[in-house]
DNA sequence: GTATGTGCAAAACGTTTGCAAGTTC
DNA sequence: GAACTTGCAAACGTTTTGCACATAC
């Protein structure tokens, strides 16, 4: 069991991957070409944002940043590009039961599970080989071929003080 | 690892618990009294439906059955009663990423995880003590006190033929 | 030039809420 | 009779869609 260095505490781990963004863009363009998707400035702009973000994000997060930067890309396009990235297997979708869909890009981001703090809303990631093997073997034994899985553990973290929790909970939009 | 006899194949397992409905109603009334909720015909009617249903259901499922039976209970009330049952810990909520919330009642229904078939949409249940222990130990080791968790495995089942899958997929609303 | 993608506004979806009227205790 | 619950319709927040215009190849 390994806890990844978490983007919420420090995103050093992921920043080491910064150089990958161009690689991921190239990968995307290859897959787009294969499937007949055309390359457009909007798609590139959104994809670059996505590949640069090493955290769980919502569509609103993208739009907010674009508004701040004065970039005008419509909401509809944004949703459509996210759908495309999902189709190209460059993104995965999470539903943490907060009424919004969260996304994270997959290239360079190995499978992991999530722990969501009930109190402060922070999303933590962890990996457990043992857990992965167990899931796989449960499926195999019972005649399922697993395509993806999603373990969300809701818990109370001991990472912040009650005061910090209250403050973070207040700031949470979702 | 045990596969429960699944309500989707046969609900014999759960039907054995049929006699519990009145017990569950009594439990609900006790908890309602404790917390100052008043007893109303609508609450009883909805609760009875919930406790009689040994399957994953949506609010729309309840309303549909009531419409069929000519029972007039408003949508708003239905949502409100579900919220109450959640508060009373008689119900748990699942989000299988289909845009609707699924519920199942907890009394007499031990914790289990889910496998959702990508092709036919059926929801299967299983229990694994090993898996539960592993989740618990991961949390403990890392300073989280787990309150609940949610493992959804998406897979292709081998339970029905391609034709049946196509047919079931067509019927799926969610 | 044709097929595809974009932006806008409107619709769709499940869910929640404000309020007046009705019910419970 | 005070407090709570209901039903209706309207509002909500996120996501999707229809359509006219623009762009990519």
């Amino acid at each position: 069991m390994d806890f990844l260095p978490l983007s919420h505490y420090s995103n050093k781990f992921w920043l080491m991957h910064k150089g990958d963004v161009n690689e991921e863009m190239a990968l995307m363009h290859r897959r787009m070409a294969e499937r007949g998707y055309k390359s457009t400035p909007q798609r590139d702009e959104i994809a670059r944002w996505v590949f640069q973000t090493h955290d769980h994000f919502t569509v609103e997060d993208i739009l907010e940043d674009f508004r701040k930067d004065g970039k005008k890309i419509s909401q509809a396009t944004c949703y459509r590009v996210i759908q495309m990235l999902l189709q190209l297997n460059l993104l995965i979708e999470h539903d943490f039961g907060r009424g919004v869909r969260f996304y994270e890009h997959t290239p360079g981001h190995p499978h992991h599970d999530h722990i969501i703090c009930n109190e402060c809303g922070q999303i933590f990631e962890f990996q457990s080989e043992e857990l992965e093997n167990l899931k796989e073997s449960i499926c195999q034994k019972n005649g399922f071929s697993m395509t993806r899985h999603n373990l969300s553990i809701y818990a109370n973290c001991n990472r912040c003080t009650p005061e910090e929790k209250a403050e973070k909970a207040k700031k949470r939009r979702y």
Side-chain angles (χ1 to χ4, degrees), chain A:
Chain A
M1 224 300 296
D2 270 335
F3 256 85
L4 299 180
L6 299 171
S7 49
H8 294 275
Y9 296 129
S10 122
N11 48 14
K12 281 196 184 90
F13 179 84
W14 297 119
L15 286 178
M16 288 165 58
H17 287 248
K18 211 171 179 179
D20 289 351
V21 173
N22 289 330
E23 238 176 71
E24 294 177 25
M25 292 296 289
L27 176 60
M28 176 183 77
H29 284 126
R30 249 176 288 138
R31 295 199 184 162
M32 284 170 73
E34 278 168 21
R35 309 226 201 161
Y37 286 107
K38 290 178 180 168
S39 187
T40 70
Q42 289 93 333
R43 283 175 174 174
D44 283 3
E45 193 82 62
I46 293 164
R48 194 164 284 279
W49 188 100
V50 165
F51 296 138
Q52 266 164 358
T53 299
H54 296 290
D55 201 353
H56 306 81
F57 63 87
T58 66
V59 169
E60 184 53 28
D61 290 334
I62 305 176
L63 291 167
E64 199 179 295
D65 270 10
F66 283 2
R67 266 181 243 120
K68 246 185 255 163
D69 295 1
K71 287 177 187 158
K72 297 192 214 336
I73 296 185
S74 87
Q75 200 193 36
T77 299
C78 213
Y79 275 100
R80 285 190 275 230
V81 174
I82 292 298
Q83 286 310 312
M84 182 192 75
L85 293 173
L86 282 170
Q87 294 258 323
L88 299 179
N89 294 313
L90 295 168
L91 217 55
I92 51 168
E93 193 176 69
H94 293 289
D95 202 321
F96 297 123
R98 299 203 206 159
V100 214
R101 290 182 201 161
F102 285 83
Y103 300 92
E104 50 185 340
H105 61 131
T106 48
H109 199 160
H111 175 81
H112 54 266
D113 294 309
H114 295 97
I115 301 184
I116 299 104
C117 178
N118 296 315
E119 299 174 318
C120 66
Q122 282 185 95
I123 300 165
F124 303 97
E125 300 179 346
F126 69 94
Q127 286 181 306
S128 163
E129 211 181 316
E130 208 180 338
L131 197 59
E132 296 311 313
N133 295 341
L134 193 49
K135 290 177 197 170
E136 188 57 70
S137 95
I138 288 171
C139 282
Q140 271 181 17
K141 276 191 212 144
N142 290 282
F144 291 94
S145 51
M146 178 160 71
T147 53
R148 66 202 163 85
H149 51 282
N150 211 81
L151 170 59
S152 302
I153 295 179
Y154 295 84
N156 299 325
C157 78
N158 65 1
R159 301 294 202 277
C160 36
T161 65
E163 294 75 37
E164 287 173 329
K165 288 192 181 199
E167 200 190 330
K168 283 178 188 169
K170 225 186 319 179
K171 276 193 211 151
R172 268 168 68 188
R173 287 169 311 151
Y174 308 117

